[in-house]
Amino acid sequence: MTTANIRVAFATSDRKRVDQHFGTASALAIYSITPQQATLVEFAQFGELEADGHEDKLQAKMALLHGCVAVYCQAVGGSAIRQLLTADVQPFKVAEGTLIEPLLHELQAALNAGSKPWLNQALRRRQSADSSRFDVMAAEGWQE
């Protein structure tokens, strides 16, 4: 059985449903997910944001998503998609009001079965990054 642990964000105003556009989301719920459980680890609120312009509004969200493999939202703009993919965060557009709990169960099942190619790729990238950081530390003369 895998010991995979991922972080996934949801654009939500009520912690129950995906009901927000990524760029203007008033809040993001971040879950830590293993094959056995899903735990809410952070609920960050941003306040009301305008839909157009203000590309810098994404900076706080992008910083919050560090370490996440995906974000589920009602909609997402092209600029945000490019930034998310560059940060290795897979954006998913779902129907307004999609319940978060079934999405969490689906992700847990995918971790158990290895059935989602995007998730397998994200896990490989993270594993590669984790192992290479020790090489960097050794090259810099890191000592205990």
Side-chain angles (χ1 to χ4, degrees):
M1 181 179 330
T2 183
T3 58
N5 181 357
I6 59 170
R7 289 171 55 100
V8 175
F10 299 88
T12 178
S13 63
D14 65 3
R15 302 181 195 204
K16 292 180 174 64
R17 290 179 290 276
V18 177
D19 61 357
Q20 304 272 297
H21 183 288
F22 176 72
T24 58
S26 61
L28 291 174
I30 298 180
Y31 283 81
S32 175
I33 305 167
T34 68
Q36 296 78 31
Q37 69 181 27
T39 306
L40 179 66
V41 293
E42 189 165 359
F43 184 73
Q45 294 181 293
F46 300 101
E48 298 301 318
L49 297 171
E50 298 289 324
D52 290 323
H54 310 298
E55 292 302 314
D56 57 334
K57 71 180 178 250
L58 297 178
Q59 290 176 347
K61 290 181 178 82
M62 294 303 298
L64 184 69
L65 293 177
H66 181 73
C68 288
V69 298
V71 60
Y72 286 78
C73 50
Q74 177 184 320
V76 60
S79 175
I81 289 172
R82 285 187 294 281
Q83 290 181 53
L84 288 164
L85 293 175
T86 298
D88 289 330
V89 178
Q90 180 66 50
F92 288 101
K93 180 181 172 186
V94 296
E96 181 176 359
T98 297
L99 293 173
I100 292 173
E101 190 170 337
L103 295 172
L104 294 171
H105 293 304
E106 180 182 309
L107 288 163
Q108 286 179 278
L111 284 173
N112 272 317
S115 60
K116 300 272 187 203
W118 72 266
L119 184 54
N120 296 336
Q121 186 177 30
L123 291 170
R124 280 192 301 274
R125 272 193 311 267
R126 190 180 70 198
Q127 185 178 32
S128 175
D130 286 349
S131 63
S132 67
R133 75 183 168 111
F134 292 112
D135 296 336
V136 170
M137 292 164 77
E140 293 175 346
W142 176 77
Q143 298 176 15
E144 287 187 45

